[in-house]
Amino acid sequence: MEKQIETLQQQLKQQEKLASLGMLSAGIAHEIQNPLNFVINFSKMSEKLLKDLTEIVEDNEDKLPADDREEIDDIVADLKENMEKIVEHGERAISIIQGILLVSRGKENEMLPADINHIVKEYVWLSYHALRANHKGFNVSIVENYQPDIPKMMVIPQDLSRAVLNLMNNACYTVWNRSQKEGEDYKPTISVKTSFKDNQIEVSIADNGEGMSSEVVQRLYENFFTTKPIGQGTGLGMGITRDIIENKHGGHLTFESEVGKGTCFTFTIPAKKP
Ligand SMILES: Nc1ncnc2c1ncn2[C@@H]1O[C@H](COP(=O)(O)OP(=O)(O)OP(=O)(O)O)[C@@H](O)[C@H]1O
Ligand SMILES: [Mg+2]
């Protein structure tokens, strides 16, 4: 009895931590959105100004020495490219933030008809871009294999996307980590697959990363268990993912893993027609 109470108290504490974490990230995401919009809008405005400038230069072509003319053209082209990069990356940051907002405060537990392939694809690439933005020069091949024509199914979209994002983030992290140790010969690869059979949706994400030791396998779903350095992992991802798949969608989450070879997570969800 005492032990049970203790366990329950611990679970409660973790739930509280989770809830405040969710609120915190929603708050931060919200606050970052505004300054980010400024960055994007001013870059777009500057792009227009550059266009005006180019026109003025063109109108006065005959008054400028050829050398200067060439230099101005080069500078303007570079500036234009820089502005485009600022807009592109700013917009990506906005979409990541919108993902966080969606995840942390979307309507709770609402089942909606959704295109599974669309959700999987979107969050796989969101995770990929986040990885690329954080580790300049690193690349991983993503092998996609989506069964076409999977009918729309009732799911909790923001939860399902969160599950895909968690699995994909873990896969990205492990291939990146392995590449840091092994260098050139190692070819980081993540394979994503969806299928629909026996009235079940199946999604798998396989990486050729480090694999999991037996200790990690045992503690995988424990809240706050992480092998990542401080600041890089909270250790909540897998617990949340399993809760989403098994409790919220009545599905199954399984995995196969081998140290030095990689890991494949697979989840199935019984299909609910809209
Ligand atoms: N694909 C994988 N390959 C190797 N190890 C993995 C993989 N997925 C999970 N793990 C291990 O399981 C641990 C727990 O994963 P989990 O997603 O719960 O937390 P995390 O990724 O460390 O942090 P976060 O809360 O940010 O997701 C990871 O720290 C890692 O050691
Ligand atoms: Mg994780």
Side-chain angles (χ1 to χ4, degrees):
M1 181 77 165
E2 238 168 62
K3 229 180 164 182
Q4 259 183 343
I5 292 177
E6 206 183 300
T7 320
L8 280 173
Q9 274 173 340
Q10 257 170 11
Q11 277 174 353
L12 196 67
K13 243 195 233 153
Q14 284 181 343
Q15 291 285 340
E16 275 168 3
K17 272 194 203 167
L18 260 177
S20 57
L21 212 67
M23 268 160 68
L24 188 70
S25 47
I28 293 170
H30 193 78
E31 288 309 307
I32 290 177
Q33 226 173 358
N34 284 332
L36 210 50
N37 273 326
F38 270 104
V39 172
I40 293 170
N41 289 340
F42 276 103
S43 306
K44 283 185 179 162
M45 268 160 58
S46 304
E47 260 185 270
K48 286 208 191 88
L49 289 175
L50 269 178
K51 224 171 158 192
D52 296 347
L53 189 70
T54 318
E55 275 166 26
I56 296 174
V57 173
E58 268 162 15
D59 288 348
N60 292 284
E61 211 161 353
D62 44 339
K63 291 179 203 142
L64 282 167
D67 275 6
D68 287 353
R69 174 71 222 258
E70 219 168 278
E71 207 173 332
I72 288 175
D73 281 350
D74 285 349
I75 292 173
V76 167
D78 280 351
L79 278 175
K80 202 170 157 262
E81 219 171 275
N82 292 355
M83 293 299 168
E84 279 166 5
K85 288 238 170 70
I86 294 173
V87 172
E88 183 197 325
H89 290 265
E91 277 171 352
R92 207 168 74 210
I94 286 268
S95 85
I96 293 170
I97 277 176
Q98 279 166 352
I100 294 173
L101 284 174
L102 199 77
V103 162
S104 45
R105 58 153 200 213
K107 265 195 208 154
E108 229 176 291
N109 297 337
E110 192 185 7
M111 289 254 179
L112 294 167
D115 178 343
I116 303 298
N117 282 340
H118 186 84
I119 290 182
V120 172
K121 200 171 175 159
E122 186 171 345
Y123 282 82
V124 160
W125 287 103
L126 187 67
S127 176
Y128 169 85
H129 285 304
L131 175 82
R132 297 259 297 162
N134 284 326
H135 304 289
K136 287 263 158 344
F138 177 68
N139 210 351
V140 42
S141 345
I142 311 284
V143 181
E144 295 172 287
N145 193 344
Y146 305 122
Q147 180 176 323
D149 310 322
I150 299 181
K152 280 199 171 180
M153 292 299 159
M154 296 302 278
V155 294
I156 309 166
Q158 83 260 20
D159 278 345
L160 199 65
S161 21
R162 191 175 189 180
V164 173
L165 193 63
N166 277 329
L167 295 177
M168 188 63 191
N169 281 346
N170 288 347
C172 283
Y173 182 87
T174 191
V175 291
W176 172 76
N177 212 23
R178 185 167 172 182
S179 83
Q180 294 305 99
K181 295 172 192 157
E182 295 189 14
E184 289 286 290
D185 288 340
Y186 171 60
K187 298 268 171 287
T189 309
I190 297 173
S191 309
V192 186
K193 190 170 170 252
T194 64
S195 62
F196 179 60
K197 55 173 184 267
D198 303 330
N199 222 29
Q200 295 241 349
I201 296 155
E202 189 177 292
V203 178
S204 68
I205 296 178
D207 64 69
N208 67 345
E210 302 163 288
M212 296 189 282
S213 69
S214 54
E215 195 220 341
V216 174
V217 165
Q218 244 167 33
R219 304 188 60 189
L220 184 62
Y221 297 111
E222 213 174 277
N223 282 346
F224 302 107
F225 170 75
T226 179
T227 58
K228 294 174 185 169
I230 294 171
Q232 296 200 30
T234 55
L236 294 169
M238 287 312 302
I240 294 172
T241 303
R242 185 169 67 175
D243 182 52
I244 289 169
I245 300 303
E246 305 203 337
N247 301 334
K248 292 193 170 175
H249 290 89
H252 280 296
L253 174 64
T254 56
F255 62 87
E256 275 171 50
S257 186
E258 198 180 327
V259 175
K261 284 235 161 107
T263 305
C264 177
F265 278 97
T266 303
F267 65 80
T268 55
I269 294 179
K272 258 200 218 153
K273 296 217 168 65

